[in-house]
Amino acid sequence: METSTLLRFPSANSDNAYTMTEKEVLEHLHTLLVEHFEVEPELIRPQARLYEDLGIDSIDAVDMVVQLRDLTGIRVPADEFKRVTTLQDVTKMIGQIVNEQQEA
Amino acid sequence: MGALKKMVAVLWRLWRLIGTAISFGVFGLGGLFVGLVVGPALYLIPASKRRAAIARRVIGALFSTFVEVMRFLGVLRYRIRMEAPLPSPPFVVVANHPSLIDVIFLIKLFPTADCVVKQAHWSNPFMMSAVRAANYVPNSNTADILAECAERLRKGTIMTIFPEGTRTVPGQQPRYHRGPALLALETGASLLPVKIRVNPTTLTKAEPWYHIPQRQVCVELTVLPAIEPKRSGSIRADSIELNQQLKALLTE
């Protein structure tokens, strides 16, 4: 998977484009979860809760922030990552960060 | 006869209420004394290993005295059982956390240990000088705690950590954080599980301090045999397994 996908992240002016990119981020996450965190692929869905459903604990979260940065170049503040519950929260947060970066 | 027995029981409970109030008073005065006199005095010593060692000795002595005061007042009795000899340092003391008094007993038991302590104490006027002088580890964020504890364990220390992070909420399944298991696997330090039973329960997350149980509180600490960390798969998988083993040992 090429790492530049997220650099082409569109701004959220079109609902369709936003959904698309969320999907792309989900794909990255999917690979990370399966290969690095040994999560069963069938458990992975947007509503899955990181800790309760996928067994991603606070140590994994630290790891995931680093991995996401390496994979996508996006720096997710660790403090904000603490507040996410579901996979969808993660993708939304990443979407927001990318949009902020583009506006800046 | 029945009425007399009842009256004795009521008086005994009333006495323990008074004893508990006195204990809190003693603890508060002790905190004030540490905060205003002992802590600042320790600050006269330049920050060093020696200062931390002295501070810990002082805290350990105060906590031991406090335990004896509570015992003398009849507020509680306690029993400490060793199921096996202590391992040689470095090791991580891991305990369940049913009550507020656990901390006092663990520090009494391992006064020289590096403890992971609630970060809020670093800005609490009663606690700040003591936790700072003792050079304890604040439970700031996962990455920093792990790095700091690993560094200390590599230097050969004893660390005391509550894997639950906070007191058990009665009736709820506690969540065991994987940090101690991961630290053991990463640094080769042993894990020393200490099982704490407080019976009947007191000073839990769900009770105010003046809720005095019918029977005298008994605190029982069982030091279980140390666990040597062994690697078999990925460090993540190994630490998850080791953590589950710990949780099974420490929860009822």
Side-chain angles (χ1 to χ4, degrees):
Chain A
M1 207 176 291
E2 80 277 48
T3 51
S4 60
T5 320
L6 283 152
L7 301 176
R8 289 186 274 107
F9 223 100
S11 52
N13 46 19
S14 138
D15 280 340
N16 196 27
Y18 188 69
T19 331
M20 267 299 294
T21 48
E22 230 183 73
K23 246 185 201 162
E24 280 172 1
V25 180
L26 259 177
E27 270 167 31
H28 276 297
L29 269 176
H30 192 281
T31 318
L32 200 60
L33 287 167
V34 175
E35 285 174 11
H36 193 79
F37 295 106
E38 296 154 339
V39 174
E40 298 293 330
E42 58 268 27
L43 293 176
I44 300 175
R45 26 183 198 92
Q47 293 80 21
R49 291 166 300 176
L50 289 183
Y51 177 68
E52 292 87 346
D53 301 331
L54 307 180
I56 301 297
D57 61 20
S58 60
I59 293 171
D60 289 331
V62 172
D63 204 3
M64 198 184 246
V65 167
V66 175
Q67 301 271 344
L68 272 175
R69 192 195 58 205
D70 293 350
L71 200 68
T72 64
I74 294 173
R75 288 171 190 277
V76 179
D79 289 345
E80 277 183 43
F81 205 86
K82 264 187 206 157
R83 266 172 286 174
V84 305
T85 316
T86 63
L87 267 185
Q88 198 163 34
D89 295 341
V90 179
T91 49
K92 281 205 176 122
M93 194 177 67
I94 293 171
Q96 271 167 13
I97 291 168
V98 171
N99 286 335
E100 276 164 25
Q101 279 174 358
Q102 281 181 346
E103 278 161 29
Chain B
M1 192 60 198
L4 185 70
K5 232 179 172 175
K6 219 176 204 173
M7 206 171 85
V8 170
V10 168
L11 284 175
W12 174 220
R13 197 171 170 202
L14 183 67
W15 168 251
R16 282 183 289 121
L17 173 66
I18 298 167
T20 306
I22 296 173
S23 300
F24 268 91
V26 169
F27 193 76
L29 285 176
L32 208 62
F33 177 63
V34 169
L36 295 177
V37 182
V38 180
L42 286 166
Y43 265 97
L44 295 177
I45 311 170
S48 59
K49 257 188 173 167
R50 195 167 142 252
R51 179 170 84 180
I54 294 170
R56 288 176 196 181
R57 210 175 304 156
V58 171
I59 295 168
L62 287 172
F63 279 2
S64 290
T65 311
F66 183 59
V67 165
E68 295 316 313
V69 167
M70 287 193 290
R71 178 150 86 164
F72 176 76
L73 291 171
V75 172
L76 55 78
R77 61 208 162 88
Y78 69 88
R79 237 190 335 240
I80 295 168
R81 286 204 327 240
M82 305 282 291
E83 284 201 350
L86 291 180
S88 49
F91 60 85
V92 189
V93 177
V94 275
N96 56 327
H97 197 356
S99 144
L100 266 185
I101 34 191
D102 313 338
V103 183
I104 290 161
F105 278 94
L106 280 180
I107 290 182
K108 168 187 156 66
L109 210 56
F110 299 101
T112 59
D114 287 65
C115 308
V116 174
V117 179
K118 193 177 182 173
Q119 192 179 20
H121 291 343
W122 265 253
S123 44
N124 175 323
F126 291 107
M127 309 280 202
M128 58 194 291
S129 61
V131 291
R132 283 163 196 254
N135 194 25
Y136 286 149
V137 180
N139 71 338
S140 46
N141 65 69
T142 309
D144 291 349
I145 308 170
L146 283 176
E148 184 62 34
C149 291
E151 195 187 318
R152 293 185 188 210
L153 285 169
R154 287 199 181 99
K155 285 182 187 153
T157 57
I158 302 171
M159 298 239 33
T160 300
I161 306 178
F162 289 113
E164 293 178 50
T166 182
R167 273 178 293 161
T168 319
V169 179
Q172 266 184 37
Q173 190 57 241
R175 174 173 162 186
Y176 271 63
H177 292 268
R178 186 156 57 92
L182 189 67
L183 283 168
L185 287 159
E186 256 182 14
T187 66
S190 345
L191 288 173
L192 187 68
V194 177
K195 180 160 188 164
I196 302 174
R197 267 198 211 95
V198 180
N199 187 26
T201 63
T202 187
L203 300 178
T204 62
K205 275 211 150 168
E207 288 165 301
W209 70 270
Y210 49 80
H211 183 263
I212 305 298
Q214 296 285 347
R215 284 175 297 128
Q216 189 187 38
V217 172
C218 178
V219 180
E220 209 180 65
L221 278 86
T222 311
V223 181
L224 299 168
I227 305 169
E228 300 302 328
K230 281 190 194 72
R231 292 293 305 273
S232 57
S234 75
I235 195 156
R236 181 175 185 271
D238 286 351
S239 62
I240 289 172
E241 201 190 314
L242 188 53
N243 187 40
Q244 273 162 356
Q245 191 187 340
L246 262 187
K247 184 180 178 184
L249 283 170
L250 295 178
T251 51
E252 300 285 345

